[in-house]
Amino acid sequence: MVLRISPDSSGMVEKMERLVEHNQEKVKEIGAKKVIFACPSCFHTWKEKYKTDAELLHSTQFIEGLISEGRITLNNGTLKTVTYHDPCDLGRNTGVYDPPRIY
């Protein structure tokens, strides 16, 4: 399999290709159905450079799904103030804007 890696891999095309291949093999080997990323740049890289059947989600998308499905609840009847760093590259590079802001 040949993946075309753009110049954004800092000129280390062969290393990037080996890393992609290794990571894809590990995901397939363990039978992962979903891969969840806390890092928006890693999430973007996987969405753009990797070929996998696994569902790729940023942690905010995953948590939003759990809340929507009723698998976790927030507040327990009380209001809390929380601080969350909303990474700009999650939206700018990957187009994910709503999940971090819904609740």
Side-chain angles (χ1 to χ4, degrees):
M1 174 171 85
V2 175
L3 293 176
R4 299 288 179 225
I5 308 299
S6 65
D8 64 346
S9 59
S10 301
M12 296 187 274
V13 175
E14 295 83 17
K15 285 185 180 183
M16 181 68 179
E17 288 173 344
R18 284 195 308 271
L19 180 63
V20 167
E21 186 176 321
H22 168 82
N23 289 340
Q24 289 178 150
E25 286 176 11
K26 291 299 177 185
V27 167
K28 188 174 183 177
E29 182 180 297
I30 65 171
K33 303 277 189 262
K34 292 182 183 180
V35 181
I36 300 162
F37 301 88
C39 170
S41 296
C42 295
F43 174 57
H44 175 73
T45 299
W46 271 71
K47 286 193 72 81
E48 295 296 316
K49 308 289 185 200
Y50 287 64
K51 306 297 181 214
T52 180
D53 292 331
E55 182 180 6
L56 306 177
L57 297 167
H58 185 263
S59 58
T60 58
Q61 295 172 303
F62 180 68
I63 293 168
E64 189 273 330
L66 293 175
I67 294 168
S68 295
E69 294 166 8
R71 296 175 61 194
I72 61 173
T73 57
L74 301 177
N75 296 331
N76 293 329
T78 61
L79 295 177
K80 302 275 185 191
T81 300
V82 298
T83 302
Y84 164 73
H85 172 178
D86 189 357
C88 60
D89 52 333
L90 180 60
R92 289 181 187 162
N93 293 332
T94 314
V96 175
Y97 293 98
D98 291 335
R101 299 179 175 105
I102 289 177
Y103 296 96

